[in-house]
Short mmCIF file of all heavy atoms in Angstrom, two decimals:
data_model
loop_
_atom_site.label_atom_id
_atom_site.label_comp_id
_atom_site.label_asym_id
_atom_site.label_seq_id
_atom_site.Cartn_x
_atom_site.Cartn_y
_atom_site.Cartn_z
N LYS X 44 10.80 -9.71 11.09
CA LYS X 44 10.85 -9.22 9.77
C LYS X 44 10.82 -10.44 8.72
O LYS X 44 10.11 -10.48 7.70
CB LYS X 44 12.02 -8.34 9.47
CG LYS X 44 12.13 -7.81 8.15
CD LYS X 44 11.08 -6.75 7.81
CE LYS X 44 11.24 -6.15 6.57
NZ LYS X 44 10.17 -5.40 6.06
N ILE X 45 11.57 -11.44 9.04
CA ILE X 45 11.70 -12.59 8.18
C ILE X 45 10.36 -13.27 8.11
O ILE X 45 9.88 -13.64 7.02
CB ILE X 45 12.78 -13.59 8.69
CG1 ILE X 45 14.07 -12.95 8.46
CG2 ILE X 45 12.68 -14.93 7.92
CD1 ILE X 45 15.30 -13.73 9.09
N ILE X 46 9.70 -13.40 9.24
CA ILE X 46 8.36 -14.13 9.20
C ILE X 46 7.37 -13.22 8.47
O ILE X 46 6.61 -13.75 7.67
CB ILE X 46 7.87 -14.26 10.80
CG1 ILE X 46 8.70 -15.26 11.46
CG2 ILE X 46 6.38 -14.65 10.75
CD1 ILE X 46 8.48 -15.43 12.87
N ALA X 47 7.33 -11.79 8.55
CA ALA X 47 6.46 -11.09 7.90
C ALA X 47 6.77 -11.16 6.36
O ALA X 47 5.83 -11.22 5.54
CB ALA X 47 6.67 -9.58 8.30
N VAL X 48 8.01 -11.14 5.96
CA VAL X 48 8.31 -11.29 4.48
C VAL X 48 7.83 -12.69 3.96
O VAL X 48 7.37 -12.81 2.86
CB VAL X 48 9.89 -11.03 4.28
CG1 VAL X 48 10.20 -11.48 2.90
CG2 VAL X 48 10.22 -9.59 4.55
N PHE X 49 8.07 -13.70 4.75
CA PHE X 49 7.56 -15.03 4.29
C PHE X 49 6.05 -15.10 4.15
O PHE X 49 5.58 -15.62 3.27
CB PHE X 49 8.07 -16.06 5.40
CG PHE X 49 7.45 -17.37 5.12
CD1 PHE X 49 7.97 -18.19 4.12
CD2 PHE X 49 6.34 -17.82 5.87
CE1 PHE X 49 7.46 -19.51 3.83
CE2 PHE X 49 5.88 -19.14 5.60
CZ PHE X 49 6.45 -19.93 4.58
N LEU X 50 5.32 -14.54 5.07
CA LEU X 50 3.89 -14.46 4.97
C LEU X 50 3.38 -13.57 3.78
O LEU X 50 2.49 -13.98 3.12
CB LEU X 50 3.23 -13.94 6.25
CG LEU X 50 3.44 -14.90 7.47
CD1 LEU X 50 2.80 -14.31 8.66
CD2 LEU X 50 2.86 -16.25 7.19
N GLU X 51 4.00 -12.50 3.50
CA GLU X 51 3.66 -11.64 2.36
C GLU X 51 3.93 -12.37 1.12
O GLU X 51 3.17 -12.32 0.15
CB GLU X 51 4.47 -10.34 2.42
CG GLU X 51 4.02 -9.40 3.53
CD GLU X 51 4.81 -8.13 3.64
OE1 GLU X 51 5.83 -7.98 2.86
OE2 GLU X 51 4.59 -7.46 4.50
N SER X 52 5.10 -13.15 1.05
CA SER X 52 5.44 -13.87 -0.07
C SER X 52 4.45 -15.02 -0.26
O SER X 52 4.11 -15.32 -1.48
CB SER X 52 6.87 -14.50 0.01
OG SER X 52 7.77 -13.61 0.21
N LYS X 53 3.91 -15.65 0.68
CA LYS X 53 3.03 -16.76 0.68
C LYS X 53 1.65 -16.11 0.05
O LYS X 53 1.01 -16.76 -0.88
CB LYS X 53 2.73 -17.40 1.93
CG LYS X 53 1.80 -18.56 1.90
CD LYS X 53 1.62 -19.26 3.23
CE LYS X 53 0.68 -20.43 3.02
NZ LYS X 53 0.22 -21.03 4.23
N VAL X 54 1.24 -15.00 0.53
CA VAL X 54 0.04 -14.41 0.04
C VAL X 54 0.16 -14.16 -1.42
O VAL X 54 -0.69 -14.33 -2.22
CB VAL X 54 -0.36 -13.21 0.90
CG1 VAL X 54 -1.31 -12.43 0.16
CG2 VAL X 54 -0.70 -13.54 2.28
N SER X 55 1.30 -13.59 -1.81
CA SER X 55 1.56 -13.21 -3.31
C SER X 55 1.53 -14.44 -4.17
O SER X 55 0.98 -14.33 -5.20
CB SER X 55 2.94 -12.50 -3.41
OG SER X 55 2.91 -11.28 -2.64
N VAL X 56 2.19 -15.49 -3.69
CA VAL X 56 2.21 -16.75 -4.44
C VAL X 56 0.78 -17.33 -4.59
O VAL X 56 0.36 -17.73 -5.78
CB VAL X 56 3.10 -17.84 -3.85
CG1 VAL X 56 2.97 -19.15 -4.51
CG2 VAL X 56 4.59 -17.31 -3.93
N VAL X 57 -0.10 -17.23 -3.64
CA VAL X 57 -1.37 -17.71 -3.71
C VAL X 57 -2.26 -16.91 -4.72
O VAL X 57 -2.97 -17.32 -5.51
CB VAL X 57 -2.10 -17.70 -2.39
CG1 VAL X 57 -3.56 -17.87 -2.48
CG2 VAL X 57 -1.48 -18.77 -1.51
N ARG X 58 -2.10 -15.52 -4.69
CA ARG X 58 -2.72 -14.74 -5.59
C ARG X 58 -2.22 -14.90 -6.98
O ARG X 58 -3.09 -14.94 -7.95
CB ARG X 58 -2.43 -13.23 -5.30
CG ARG X 58 -3.13 -12.81 -3.98
CD ARG X 58 -2.88 -11.31 -3.64
NE ARG X 58 -3.65 -10.80 -2.52
CZ ARG X 58 -3.36 -9.73 -1.95
NH1 ARG X 58 -2.59 -8.75 -2.43
NH2 ARG X 58 -4.13 -9.40 -0.92
N ILE X 59 -1.05 -15.01 -7.25
CA ILE X 59 -0.44 -15.37 -8.60
C ILE X 59 -1.01 -16.75 -9.08
O ILE X 59 -1.53 -16.82 -10.22
CB ILE X 59 1.02 -15.46 -8.62
CG1 ILE X 59 1.54 -13.85 -8.48
CG2 ILE X 59 1.58 -15.99 -9.97
CD1 ILE X 59 3.06 -13.82 -8.26
N GLN X 60 -1.12 -17.78 -8.27
CA GLN X 60 -1.58 -18.95 -8.63
C GLN X 60 -3.05 -18.97 -8.96
O GLN X 60 -3.44 -19.55 -9.97
CB GLN X 60 -1.36 -19.95 -7.41
CG GLN X 60 -1.91 -21.37 -7.67
CD GLN X 60 -1.61 -22.38 -6.55
OE1 GLN X 60 -1.36 -21.88 -5.47
NE2 GLN X 60 -1.73 -23.57 -6.80
N GLU X 61 -3.81 -18.16 -8.15
CA GLU X 61 -5.27 -17.99 -8.47
C GLU X 61 -5.39 -17.40 -9.83
O GLU X 61 -6.32 -17.73 -10.59
CB GLU X 61 -6.02 -17.29 -7.36
CG GLU X 61 -6.12 -18.03 -6.12
CD GLU X 61 -6.77 -17.12 -5.02
OE1 GLU X 61 -6.91 -15.96 -5.27
OE2 GLU X 61 -6.94 -17.75 -3.89
N PHE X 62 -4.61 -16.35 -10.09
CA PHE X 62 -4.71 -15.70 -11.42
C PHE X 62 -4.43 -16.55 -12.59
O PHE X 62 -5.00 -16.59 -13.69
CB PHE X 62 -3.74 -14.44 -11.35
CG PHE X 62 -3.61 -13.81 -12.74
CD1 PHE X 62 -4.70 -12.97 -13.23
CD2 PHE X 62 -2.53 -13.87 -13.48
CE1 PHE X 62 -4.63 -12.35 -14.34
CE2 PHE X 62 -2.47 -13.32 -14.70
CZ PHE X 62 -3.48 -12.47 -15.18
N LEU X 63 -3.23 -17.30 -12.41
CA LEU X 63 -2.85 -18.23 -13.48
C LEU X 63 -3.85 -19.40 -13.80
O LEU X 63 -3.93 -19.92 -14.87
CB LEU X 63 -1.51 -18.82 -13.19
CG LEU X 63 -0.33 -17.69 -13.23
CD1 LEU X 63 0.98 -18.32 -12.80
CD2 LEU X 63 -0.28 -17.12 -14.71
N LEU X 64 -4.57 -19.73 -12.74
CA LEU X 64 -5.54 -20.82 -12.83
C LEU X 64 -6.97 -20.31 -13.30
O LEU X 64 -7.80 -21.21 -13.43
CB LEU X 64 -5.73 -21.57 -11.58
CG LEU X 64 -4.49 -22.38 -11.15
CD1 LEU X 64 -4.63 -23.00 -9.75
CD2 LEU X 64 -4.08 -23.46 -12.17
N GLU X 65 -7.11 -19.00 -13.49
CA GLU X 65 -8.37 -18.53 -13.91
C GLU X 65 -8.66 -19.05 -15.28
O GLU X 65 -7.75 -19.45 -16.13
CB GLU X 65 -8.36 -16.98 -14.03
CG GLU X 65 -8.52 -16.31 -12.65
CD GLU X 65 -9.94 -16.39 -12.16
OE1 GLU X 65 -10.84 -16.36 -12.94
OE2 GLU X 65 -10.00 -16.51 -10.83
N ASP X 66 -9.91 -19.01 -15.78
CA ASP X 66 -10.34 -19.43 -17.12
C ASP X 66 -9.85 -18.40 -18.17
O ASP X 66 -9.61 -17.29 -17.80
CB ASP X 66 -11.81 -19.59 -17.19
CG ASP X 66 -12.36 -20.67 -16.31
OD1 ASP X 66 -11.74 -21.65 -16.07
OD2 ASP X 66 -13.61 -20.46 -15.98
N GLU X 67 -9.57 -18.86 -19.33
CA GLU X 67 -9.15 -18.00 -20.35
C GLU X 67 -10.23 -17.05 -20.79
O GLU X 67 -11.34 -17.33 -20.57
CB GLU X 67 -8.73 -18.87 -21.65
CG GLU X 67 -7.49 -19.71 -21.38
CD GLU X 67 -6.16 -18.85 -21.09
OE1 GLU X 67 -6.13 -17.78 -21.83
OE2 GLU X 67 -5.36 -19.31 -20.25
N VAL X 68 -9.90 -16.02 -21.47
CA VAL X 68 -10.83 -15.01 -21.86
C VAL X 68 -11.63 -15.59 -22.99
O VAL X 68 -11.08 -16.20 -23.88
CB VAL X 68 -10.11 -13.73 -22.43
CG1 VAL X 68 -10.99 -12.74 -23.05
CG2 VAL X 68 -9.33 -13.04 -21.28
N ASP X 69 -12.94 -15.40 -23.05
CA ASP X 69 -13.84 -15.80 -24.06
C ASP X 69 -13.48 -15.11 -25.36
O ASP X 69 -13.54 -13.85 -25.45
CB ASP X 69 -15.32 -15.65 -23.70
CG ASP X 69 -16.17 -16.28 -24.72
OD1 ASP X 69 -15.66 -16.84 -25.71
OD2 ASP X 69 -17.41 -16.10 -24.63
N PRO X 70 -13.03 -15.86 -26.36
CA PRO X 70 -12.61 -15.22 -27.71
C PRO X 70 -13.72 -14.52 -28.37
O PRO X 70 -13.45 -13.52 -29.05
CB PRO X 70 -12.18 -16.36 -28.57
CG PRO X 70 -11.98 -17.51 -27.72
CD PRO X 70 -12.81 -17.29 -26.48
N GLN X 71 -14.89 -14.69 -27.99
CA GLN X 71 -16.09 -13.99 -28.63
C GLN X 71 -16.25 -12.61 -28.04
O GLN X 71 -16.89 -11.78 -28.46
CB GLN X 71 -17.41 -14.75 -28.49
CG GLN X 71 -17.35 -16.13 -29.25
CD GLN X 71 -18.59 -16.82 -28.99
OE1 GLN X 71 -19.37 -16.56 -28.09
NE2 GLN X 71 -18.72 -18.01 -29.80
N CYS X 72 -15.63 -12.40 -26.82
CA CYS X 72 -15.76 -11.13 -26.08
C CYS X 72 -14.65 -10.18 -26.56
O CYS X 72 -14.80 -8.94 -26.18
CB CYS X 72 -15.73 -11.30 -24.61
SG CYS X 72 -17.08 -12.31 -23.91
N VAL X 73 -13.63 -10.64 -27.24
CA VAL X 73 -12.53 -9.81 -27.60
C VAL X 73 -12.43 -9.67 -29.12
O VAL X 73 -12.48 -10.76 -29.77
CB VAL X 73 -11.21 -10.35 -26.97
CG1 VAL X 73 -9.98 -9.50 -27.37
CG2 VAL X 73 -11.33 -10.44 -25.47
N VAL X 74 -12.33 -8.37 -29.58
CA VAL X 74 -12.05 -8.23 -31.00
C VAL X 74 -10.68 -7.89 -31.20
O VAL X 74 -10.20 -6.86 -30.70
CB VAL X 74 -13.05 -7.15 -31.47
CG1 VAL X 74 -12.74 -6.86 -33.00
CG2 VAL X 74 -14.46 -7.51 -31.25
N GLN X 75 -9.99 -8.58 -32.08
CA GLN X 75 -8.61 -8.16 -32.39
C GLN X 75 -8.52 -7.70 -33.82
O GLN X 75 -9.04 -8.25 -34.78
CB GLN X 75 -7.72 -9.43 -32.25
CG GLN X 75 -7.65 -9.82 -30.71
CD GLN X 75 -6.70 -11.03 -30.56
OE1 GLN X 75 -6.20 -11.65 -31.45
NE2 GLN X 75 -6.44 -11.33 -29.33
N GLU X 76 -7.88 -6.62 -33.95
CA GLU X 76 -7.60 -6.06 -35.31
C GLU X 76 -6.54 -6.96 -36.09
O GLU X 76 -5.75 -7.52 -35.52
CB GLU X 76 -7.07 -4.67 -35.16
CG GLU X 76 -7.88 -3.69 -34.42
CD GLU X 76 -9.14 -3.33 -35.16
OE1 GLU X 76 -9.06 -3.32 -36.50
OE2 GLU X 76 -10.11 -2.93 -34.57
N GLU X 77 -6.82 -6.99 -37.38
CA GLU X 77 -5.97 -7.88 -38.34
C GLU X 77 -4.70 -7.08 -38.67
O GLU X 77 -3.69 -7.69 -39.10
CB GLU X 77 -6.67 -8.21 -39.57
CG GLU X 77 -7.92 -9.09 -39.22
CD GLU X 77 -7.41 -10.50 -38.53
OE1 GLU X 77 -6.43 -11.01 -38.94
OE2 GLU X 77 -8.21 -10.95 -37.69
N GLN X 78 -4.66 -5.77 -38.47
CA GLN X 78 -3.46 -4.98 -38.93
C GLN X 78 -2.31 -5.12 -37.79
O GLN X 78 -2.78 -5.46 -36.65
CB GLN X 78 -3.85 -3.55 -39.21
CG GLN X 78 -4.52 -2.85 -38.04
CD GLN X 78 -4.88 -1.46 -38.38
OE1 GLN X 78 -4.19 -0.74 -39.07
NE2 GLN X 78 -6.08 -1.08 -37.92
N PRO X 79 -1.09 -4.96 -38.11
CA PRO X 79 0.03 -5.04 -37.16
C PRO X 79 -0.09 -4.05 -36.03
O PRO X 79 -0.67 -3.04 -36.20
CB PRO X 79 1.21 -4.82 -38.05
CG PRO X 79 0.92 -4.90 -39.50
CD PRO X 79 -0.61 -4.71 -39.54
N PHE X 80 0.23 -4.52 -34.88
CA PHE X 80 0.14 -3.67 -33.62
C PHE X 80 0.74 -2.29 -33.79
O PHE X 80 0.09 -1.37 -33.34
CB PHE X 80 0.76 -4.43 -32.51
CG PHE X 80 0.60 -3.74 -31.33
CD1 PHE X 80 -0.70 -3.86 -30.53
CD2 PHE X 80 1.62 -3.12 -30.55
CE1 PHE X 80 -0.82 -3.17 -29.29
CE2 PHE X 80 1.46 -2.44 -29.34
CZ PHE X 80 0.19 -2.54 -28.80
#
Side-chain angles (χ1 to χ4, degrees):
K44 180 70 174 170
I45 292 170
I46 292 171
V48 168
F49 173 75
L50 293 176
E51 289 173 4
S52 300
K53 184 178 179 195
V54 169
S55 297
V56 167
V57 169
R58 288 180 178 172
I59 292 170
Q60 182 180 16
E61 289 174 356
F62 173 75
L63 293 176
L64 293 176
E65 284 287 326
D66 293 335
E67 293 293 325
V68 174
D69 185 4
Q71 296 175 352
C72 294
V73 178
V74 177
Q75 295 183 350
E76 300 287 334
E77 294 298 324
Q78 55 184 319
F80 184 75

